[in-house]
Amino acid sequence: MKCRVHGIETFGCDDGKGIRYIVFLQGCAGGCIYCHNVSSWDFNDGVDVPIDRLIAEMLSNKEFYLQNDGGITISGGEALHQLDACIELARRTHLNGLTVALDTTGLIPLEPNLERLKELLGYVDCVLMDFKAGTDEMHSKLCKFKLERAKAFAKLCSDMGVEMWIRHVVLKHYNAEDDYDLKQILEFVKTLDTVTEFDLLPFHNFGSYKWEQCGIEYKCSDDNVPDESDMIRKYELVKRELPHVKVTR
């Protein structure tokens, strides 16, 4: 089996526990306005790579990953667009005694994918979920898929007992100045049983040049970088509402 790959990072430290082999799969229909890797959107771009080759390269550094619960992180683009490849990568990594992290927005519908999603999550140790917004109105401003899909996937992860790290990007003039949308996210997160970490991420403009290279209009700017006071207030809010969850910013 082959998968279409945007890029690979062999010693990643920010996308799951320990040192990780990160596979960025090509293709994403999420359309997030603040995406820092827009070159991963095009489903026809990237390179077809045999999964055998990815597994062999990862296992060549297995001793480093084993030291601190490291392993593979399947990312994107949106990894779930290549669901069969995700299953095979996760299954073979799991069989080789390394941990599996899945970095996703949860944008694909549960039906008709439910059984394959359950199979995938059976091999996954941690889901890193980029949760865009807490209301349909804000979600539609930030991306092109429905909030209900993200919620359904998160609920499935919780029901299957898969650890979750929630990531939430804060943008000035969208969700920074007011906390209503974040409060709606937190109310939903309280219904989940497996969230152990909540990362508040301030918007940055570092990937803007990629939009120009891809010929796609970029609607964000440095004006969307949130004020420190807003980040501190939101951090304190999450800490109060989720006292048993590790909160970072």
Side-chain angles (χ1 to χ4, degrees):
M1 180 186 291
K2 294 182 178 180
C3 55
R4 187 162 285 265
V5 174
H6 178 72
I8 296 168
E9 186 176 346
T10 56
F11 286 90
C13 298
D14 298 320
D15 295 282
K17 299 174 183 177
I19 301 172
R20 311 203 65 81
Y21 181 84
I22 308 174
V23 180
F24 298 93
L25 296 180
Q26 183 72 30
C28 183
C32 300
I33 65 170
Y34 54 77
C35 181
H36 65 277
N37 200 16
V38 69
S39 55
S40 69
W41 286 8
D42 188 348
F43 288 90
N44 296 313
D45 207 345
V47 179
D48 284 332
V49 180
I51 287 178
D52 285 347
R53 185 189 304 171
L54 297 174
I55 296 296
E57 181 177 65
M58 178 181 64
L59 293 180
S60 69
N61 294 307
K62 183 177 180 179
E63 62 185 280
F64 295 100
Y65 303 135
L66 280 173
Q67 292 176 12
N68 49 14
D69 292 328
I72 197 170
T73 297
I74 308 171
S75 186
E78 171 47 65
L80 293 181
H81 286 310
Q82 298 187 53
L83 184 51
D84 290 337
C86 287
I87 293 171
E88 186 66 5
L89 283 167
R91 182 185 70 83
R92 294 179 62 177
T93 300
H94 183 78
L95 286 174
N96 279 283
L98 297 173
T99 62
V100 179
L102 174 67
D103 189 349
T104 181
T105 63
L107 62 74
I108 70 170
L110 294 193
E111 298 295 344
N113 303 298
L114 182 58
E115 292 309 313
R116 288 189 299 155
L117 285 170
K118 287 182 177 179
E119 181 181 1
L120 170 60
L121 292 174
Y123 301 122
V124 171
D125 298 282
C126 185
V127 169
L128 317 176
M129 189 161 182
D130 185 7
F131 217 86
K132 311 296 180 184
T135 63
D136 291 330
E137 179 182 6
M138 183 60 69
H139 208 268
S140 66
K141 292 179 180 179
L142 297 175
C143 56
K144 294 181 179 179
F145 65 99
K146 297 295 186 181
L147 173 59
E148 63 187 36
R149 290 189 178 181
K151 286 185 172 181
F153 181 78
K155 186 66 166 58
L156 177 63
C157 293
S158 177
D159 289 346
M160 291 190 63
V162 181
E163 181 180 2
M164 298 178 67
W165 293 4
I166 302 296
R167 293 168 161 180
H168 177 60
V169 178
V170 179
L171 298 88
K172 192 172 185 177
H173 306 312
Y174 285 89
N175 58 10
E177 296 89 335
D178 184 86
D179 293 335
Y180 178 77
D181 192 78
L182 177 58
K183 289 177 180 178
Q184 301 311 300
I185 293 176
L186 296 176
E187 286 304 307
F188 174 69
V189 170
K190 288 178 185 178
T191 70
L192 306 174
D193 297 325
T194 59
V195 175
T196 61
E197 187 165 321
F198 195 108
D199 299 330
L200 282 166
L201 306 174
F203 165 79
H204 63 71
N205 205 26
F206 303 154
S208 59
Y209 71 94
K210 295 182 182 179
W211 290 70
E212 183 176 353
Q213 291 175 347
C214 293
I216 305 174
E217 181 186 4
Y218 189 52
K219 297 180 180 180
C220 294
S221 69
D222 287 338
D223 289 340
N224 296 115
V225 176
D227 295 340
E228 178 67 7
S229 58
D230 289 325
M231 294 301 299
I232 292 172
R233 189 186 68 257
K234 290 179 184 296
Y235 172 80
E236 294 299 332
L237 172 62
V238 179
K239 289 281 286 183
R240 287 196 306 272
E241 295 296 316
L242 303 176
H244 303 298
V245 172
K246 178 182 177 182
V247 184
T248 64
R249 68 176 184 89

